[in-house]
Amino acid sequence: MDLMDTWLTRQVVDWFDGVGRDLPWRAPGTTAWGVLVSEVMSQQTPVTRVAPIWRDWLERWPTPREFAEASGADVLRAWGRLGYPRRALRLHECARALVERHDGDVPADVTQLRALPGVGVYTASAVAVFHYRRRHAVVDTNVRRVVARYTTGEPDSGQATSAADLVAAEALLPPDAETAAAHSVALMELGALVCTARKPRCEECPVSARCRFKAAGAVVPAAPSRKPQRYHGTTRYVRGQIMALLRESPRPVPRVAIDGLWHEPGRREAALTGLISDGLVEALPGDRFALPT
């Protein structure tokens, strides 16, 4: 590792120590299970929405073994309005796999983590690094952007994480595992708070002095002109309305109650059929519907 990379690590870690967010899953004593739950919940969901639900979740199910014994209905009710509830069911499958394969413990090995249901490259690396302090590149959208800007001057590195992104991030890691873990956390936070996609705050950046993007003028290409996406009335919206109705009901819901949620039969049926197909809703005798048991 060259002197520039040593400088990068020192700068971002010192910066993080001063301004890093006080997120509950970063608190001392958080278990590997707590970190895993936080990563699954935070996918496509702002951490401000995740934090209170995460706290309640860990108080109710502090270990994979306890969570594995929960019913599907309890899981989905606890997930609430976090969105993309299939994540909750995959996390439930993951907990059961942890009990069956690892006696209820969350492994530190990335390969074993990736073999779990619903755990991909990013989540496996995040648990191994953030909890077990292993030396791996943890690459999300924020990290890809910071690495691209700092090393090549490009404003971004594309829409999806590639093998080249992993190599580029790995090349910046210090050799010591504990220092590398601190570096990874700090780099991700820098992308989330300062080196943002549309409005980077270079004047606040601890590495702007050696950033190639800043040296090139820090010009962010104009975003494509797009109309705001409509949500109300979409199939996803109707799915959410159905899920909310079922979460709030202590007993199975008749079809007539679901029919009252939206006026378009075709969209309503598409939403309900999709929920059943995804395992989020069970169709019961008597044309009634409920959360899975």
Side-chain angles (χ1 to χ4, degrees):
M1 183 175 65
D2 62 28
L3 292 177
M4 175 183 282
D5 295 338
T6 303
W7 179 85
L8 169 68
T9 297
R10 185 172 65 252
Q11 293 298 114
V12 297
V13 171
D14 287 349
W15 169 83
F16 178 83
D17 287 343
V19 304
R21 290 171 292 181
D22 185 22
L23 301 177
W25 43 88
R26 290 175 176 169
T30 300
T31 62
W33 170 242
V35 173
L36 175 58
V37 171
S38 76
E39 290 298 334
V40 174
M41 286 185 171
S42 298
Q43 294 166 11
Q44 300 174 293
T45 305
V47 294
T48 52
R49 289 180 56 200
V50 169
I53 295 177
W54 180 88
R55 289 189 183 95
D56 291 344
W57 196 281
L58 267 294
E59 183 175 341
R60 185 174 185 179
W61 297 303
T63 69
R65 189 175 298 279
E66 288 163 306
F67 182 55
E69 295 172 356
S71 71
D74 283 346
V75 169
L76 291 170
R77 286 193 174 97
W79 191 261
R81 292 185 176 273
L82 273 182
Y84 304 98
R86 278 176 290 183
R87 290 181 293 163
L89 295 186
R90 292 294 278 170
L91 185 59
H92 202 202
E93 293 176 39
C94 178
R96 289 171 171 168
L98 287 170
V99 172
E100 293 169 2
R101 304 175 194 173
H102 303 286
D103 197 29
D105 294 325
V106 177
D109 180 75
V110 166
T111 301
Q112 291 180 324
L113 285 163
R114 286 189 61 186
L116 296 169
V119 176
V121 174
Y122 166 78
T123 302
S125 298
V127 172
V129 171
F130 299 157
H131 181 75
Y132 290 109
R133 315 304 282 181
R134 299 293 178 90
R135 186 184 182 278
H136 299 285
V138 186
V139 182
D140 69 350
T141 300
N142 291 318
V143 171
R144 288 193 293 112
R145 182 170 57 253
V146 172
V147 171
R149 289 175 176 177
Y150 181 78
T151 61
T152 69
E154 295 295 324
D156 213 326
S157 64
Q159 296 298 314
T161 300
S162 66
D165 293 323
L166 296 172
V167 170
E170 179 87 20
L172 296 175
L173 289 177
D176 173 68
E178 176 60 37
T179 307
H183 165 111
S184 294
V185 174
L187 212 63
M188 186 173 296
E189 192 81 336
L190 184 65
L193 300 183
V194 174
C195 193
T196 57
R198 304 313 312 168
K199 296 181 179 179
R201 302 198 298 272
C202 297
E203 69 281 0
E204 300 176 25
C205 181
V207 300
S208 62
R210 297 186 181 180
C211 176
R212 295 184 178 182
F213 176 66
K214 176 68 164 56
V219 177
V220 177
S225 178
R226 292 183 294 184
K227 294 181 180 179
Q229 290 186 331
R230 180 176 63 94
Y231 173 62
H232 184 82
T234 62
T235 300
R236 184 178 160 218
Y237 169 83
V238 180
R239 283 170 60 106
Q241 297 299 105
I242 295 172
M243 289 298 296
L245 176 66
L246 296 181
R247 283 197 306 269
E248 294 162 6
S249 175
R251 57 184 61 84
V253 170
R255 181 179 289 273
V256 66
I258 293 176
D259 289 347
L261 294 173
W262 192 249
H263 63 281
E264 297 175 288
R267 191 174 301 280
R268 203 170 58 225
E269 191 61 29
L272 180 59
T273 300
L275 289 170
I276 294 170
S277 177
D278 290 341
L280 295 166
V281 172
E282 286 186 354
L284 303 176
D287 213 17
R288 297 175 303 150
F289 303 89
L291 296 176
T293 55

